[in-house]
């Protein structure tokens, strides 16, 4: 499930092409909150079964997505990619920030990382 917030601001008409210039996007201050909308984008049919077959065959399943880490974690759980606890969950339980939970902590069994963190992996040991 995704939640999107809407806001608006009335201002004089402007050529939309001018927004392409760096630093000249639409106004981001003085906006009026308009509301929220929730969308459900379920996984495609057969994904859960495919993940299960891969895991049963000994394949280590990973997901790469541009979604927000919390969204990615929720989707991965829904399709069976994540079945163990993440550093975020262990951090909540211990009352400490996620980035202070070492990934080799005995209670951490799954990792969710951003693209920047993924690009930073260089050696086999990082994986």
């Amino acid at each position: 499930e995704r939640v999107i917030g809407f806001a608006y601001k009335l201002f004089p008409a402007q050529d939309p092409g001018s927004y392409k210039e760096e630093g000249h996007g639409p106004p981001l201050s003085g906006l009026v909150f308009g509301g929220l909308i929730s969308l459900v984008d379920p996984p495609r049919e057969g994904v859960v079964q495919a993940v299960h077959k891969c895991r049963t065959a000994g394949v280590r399943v990973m997901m790469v997505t541009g979604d927000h880490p919390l969204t990615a974690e929720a989707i991965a759980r829904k399709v069976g990619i994540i079945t163990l606890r993440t550093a975020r969950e262990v951090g909540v339980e211990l009352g400490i920030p996620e980035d202070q939970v070492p990934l080799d902590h005995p209670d951490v069994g799954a990792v969710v990382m951003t693209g920047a963190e993924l690009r930073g992996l260089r050696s086999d040991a990082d994986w």
Side-chain angles (χ1 to χ4, degrees):
E1 188 171 344
R2 298 167 191 260
V3 178
I4 300 172
F6 292 91
Y8 67 92
K9 178 179 182 175
L10 299 177
F11 58 96
Q14 188 171 333
D15 175 20
S18 68
Y19 294 151
K20 293 180 183 176
E21 297 175 33
E22 187 68 32
H24 292 88
L28 299 177
S29 63
L31 299 172
V32 177
F33 178 71
L36 299 171
I37 188 167
S38 174
L39 306 169
V40 176
D41 186 14
R44 289 189 178 161
E45 191 175 316
V47 171
V48 174
Q49 295 83 357
V51 169
H52 177 72
K53 281 183 183 179
C54 289
R55 286 176 152 264
T56 302
V59 175
R60 192 169 164 194
V61 181
M62 297 182 191
M63 180 175 85
V64 177
T65 178
D67 285 325
H68 184 280
L70 288 174
T71 303
E73 180 180 337
I75 293 168
R77 281 201 184 284
K78 193 171 203 170
V79 300
I81 294 172
I82 293 180
T83 58
L84 302 172
R85 296 189 322 162
T86 64
R88 181 190 61 77
E89 294 170 305
V90 172
V92 168
E93 185 178 288
L94 298 176
I96 61 175
E98 175 181 357
D99 62 357
Q100 291 182 12
V101 178
L103 295 180
D104 61 354
H105 187 285
D107 293 336
V108 174
V111 177
V112 177
M113 62 177 50
T114 65
E117 292 168 326
L118 183 62
R119 281 188 294 278
L121 301 179
R122 298 287 178 226
S123 68
D124 287 345
D126 291 338
W127 289 88

